[in-house]
Amino acid sequence: MNELIDRYVLAVARRLPASNREDVARELRATIDDMLDARGSRDQGAVRDVLTELGDPAVLAAGYRSGPQHLIGPEVYGPFLETLRRILAIALPVVVGIQLLFGDWGSDRSVASIVIGAIAGALQVGVHVVVWTALTFIVIERSGAAREVADGGEGWTPDDLPALPRQRQITLGELIGAVVVLALIPAGLLWQRYRSPYEEAGDPIPLFDPDLWDLWIPVLFGIVVVNLGLEGWKYAVGHWTLPLVVANLAVNVAFVGYFALLFSREDVWNPAYAAELAERTGFQLADSPILAIAMVSIVAISAWDIVESIIKLRQAPTERVLLEGVPA
Amino acid sequence: MELDEELLAGHVQELRRGTVVLACLSVLQAPHYGYALLSTLAEAGLSVDANTLYPLLRRLEKQGLLHSEWNTEEPRPRKFYEVTDLGRALLERLATEWASLDTTVRTILGRSEP
């Protein structure tokens, strides 16, 4: 007997169930002998040729086994991914939210360490969700329930089709976020007018030059109102359209232009406030880079807003095609 | 246009897959042991890998289409396979199916010829 053949037969046999292991091994041995006869040689080279032709013992053994050769087969792969996605979409935000909410804020732990803790917690939960969902689906696959899961048990009919996604491109959350940010502008201006750390004869000294209220600040209120109108229009349409992108561009240009003009033409700080501040803290408002930083930020935010609207305009047709079946 | 060898092999294998069962059932109307069946098929022009054929024979046996018997009279014991009545019935149906498929495909190929 040849050692290489013994090793091959054993490598196949040990991968088979006990019920047919011996029978398959015996037949395999006879087959190898027949193949060697056909070659007219029993030397080591011929043996190697024959075994190479039979191929990887693991593959050969897999052919004999009848059960599924995969953990999660094509029938349940889709439902598996869908389940995973749904659980993660709920579990992860909840875990992060809880950890941030009940984080150790009182102690001297830094904000960063609490945030990192929340992310680590989310990762841990994520791994658990993936592992347990996978195990559940492996059981479903093995128990033969796979076909039922795949077709919902009763066989598929067109009624099983999911409803079309009516997902808005511009969500209510986005609308609320934009309104809150915009509302901060008039709120801040009014606040600085009536609340100030410095007083003169019982009256607060505003941060910004009171003369601005004659023209500049009302104009800014006007721009904010137009902006609010644009946000409302965006939400009403639900997705970006060309008129919306153009209007958004105009509003952003107006916003940037307004501040560029304001900062270049007017001394926005209230001289009385600047004097008071300089006297008490030595901080010179006029020399500070605050306005420059503000200008750069305004330009950056507006530029991004314009770019984003164009990107989203390009994405919007996909949804329209899906809903109307006609390429735009 | 260069046809990728691997791509070609994959599609040829796909095309041949079902025909192996038909050919096996047909040859096994007379008892054969595995290697003899393999050689017979190869001579006829249908080359099947040993590591495909042997597991296939087991599956067909499990489905009751073949039955097997060890012949220990020869110096080398061999497992002989032969179709059962069920296997013969299936062979007839498959042969009919093959003939109709052949006609259909020929018709389609003929119609599409430039």
Side-chain angles (χ1 to χ4, degrees), chain A:
Chain A
M1 268 293 140
N2 185 298
E3 195 218 325
L4 212 52
I5 296 175
D6 290 344
R7 278 161 59 193
Y8 188 88
V9 172
L10 190 67
V12 174
R14 68 183 180 80
R15 289 182 165 90
L16 298 175
S19 56
N20 66 355
R21 189 179 292 157
E22 216 171 308
D23 196 67
V24 169
R26 208 169 153 208
E27 188 184 26
L28 182 57
R29 226 178 251 289
T31 302
I32 292 169
D33 280 339
D34 285 334
M35 289 169 87
L36 285 171
D37 282 355
R39 276 178 168 69
S41 157
R42 305 191 74 84
D43 65 19
Q44 205 62 7
V47 170
R48 293 188 74 91
D49 278 354
V50 165
L51 296 186
T52 307
E53 195 185 323
L54 283 170
D56 188 340
V59 176
L60 182 56
Y64 281 109
R65 282 198 305 263
S66 48
Q69 303 289 313
H70 43 247
L71 286 178
I72 293 172
E75 281 170 335
V76 292
Y77 184 67
F80 165 66
L81 280 188
E82 183 60 21
T83 308
L84 203 56
R85 205 175 294 136
R86 283 190 191 170
I87 297 178
L88 287 177
I90 295 168
L92 294 187
V94 167
V95 169
V96 171
I98 288 175
Q99 298 222 357
L100 288 180
L101 215 56
F102 300 104
D104 218 356
W105 294 105
S107 71
D108 48 2
R109 281 181 66 192
S110 69
V111 175
S113 82
I114 293 177
V115 171
I116 290 170
I119 293 171
L123 277 177
Q124 237 170 31
V125 169
V127 169
H128 270 282
V129 168
V130 172
V131 167
W132 292 108
T133 309
L135 282 179
T136 306
F137 273 86
I138 290 168
V139 169
I140 289 172
E141 174 73 56
R142 303 268 139 179
S143 67
R147 199 166 289 277
E148 278 178 42
V149 170
D151 60 20
E154 290 296 322
W156 185 87
T157 75
D159 296 332
D160 296 334
L161 285 171
L164 283 175
R166 279 273 172 192
Q167 216 173 16
R168 309 173 60 90
Q169 196 182 27
I170 294 154
T171 62
L172 186 61
E174 250 172 277
L175 173 67
I176 293 171
V179 169
V180 167
V181 169
L182 284 171
L184 283 176
I185 295 174
L189 287 170
L190 287 169
W191 186 82
Q192 65 84 35
R193 187 177 187 183
Y194 299 108
R195 289 274 181 282
S196 172
Y198 309 130
E199 291 188 350
E200 191 177 29
D203 289 329
I205 306 174
L207 172 62
F208 296 118
D209 190 345
D211 290 346
L212 293 176
W213 286 93
D214 295 342
L215 176 69
W216 286 101
I217 290 180
V219 169
L220 181 58
F221 282 10
I223 295 178
V224 167
V225 169
V226 170
N227 221 323
L228 283 172
L230 174 66
E231 292 299 331
W233 181 20
K234 266 166 61 182
Y235 182 74
V237 176
H239 55 83
W240 284 96
T241 59
L242 190 58
L244 273 172
V245 169
V246 172
N248 185 58
L249 177 75
V251 169
N252 272 298
V253 167
F255 214 67
V256 170
Y258 170 88
F259 283 104
L261 275 177
L262 173 65
F263 291 168
S264 61
R265 301 220 172 155
E266 301 282 335
D267 194 9
V268 300
W269 308 118
N270 184 359
Y273 188 99
E276 195 74 25
L277 183 68
E279 191 179 308
R280 303 217 183 172
T281 65
F283 186 80
Q284 295 292 336
L285 261 184
D287 300 338
S288 77
I290 293 176
L291 291 184
I293 293 172
M295 193 66 227
V296 169
S297 308
I298 289 164
V299 170
I301 291 170
S302 290
W304 171 245
D305 196 52
I306 293 165
V307 170
E308 196 190 19
S309 72
I310 295 170
I311 293 174
K312 291 200 166 172
L313 175 69
R314 293 171 61 95
Q315 290 169 349
T318 326
E319 193 178 332
R320 286 207 297 276
V321 167
L322 275 175
L323 295 179
E324 295 162 20
V326 184

Side-chain angles (χ1 to χ4, degrees), chain B residues 12-85:
Chain B
V12 167
Q13 195 189 3
E14 200 68 34
L15 201 55
R16 286 185 174 187
R17 186 159 292 161
T19 64
V20 176
V21 171
L22 178 57
C24 282
L25 291 175
S26 181
V27 173
L28 291 178
Q29 291 180 91
H32 282 72
Y33 57 93
Y35 190 72
L37 172 62
L38 202 68
S39 312
T40 309
L41 291 176
E43 271 165 38
L46 188 67
S47 70
V48 187
D49 287 337
N51 55 14
T52 307
L53 186 71
Y54 286 90
L56 174 67
L57 291 175
R58 297 275 166 164
R59 272 201 298 283
L60 296 178
E61 189 182 4
K62 213 172 177 184
Q63 291 169 352
L65 301 167
L66 298 179
H67 97 107
S68 68
E69 212 171 324
W70 280 96
N71 180 338
T72 46
E73 285 160 25
E74 307 278 324
R76 183 177 296 161
R78 281 173 175 141
K79 193 172 192 182
F80 280 77
Y81 295 87
E82 190 178 7
V83 286
T84 59
D85 289 343

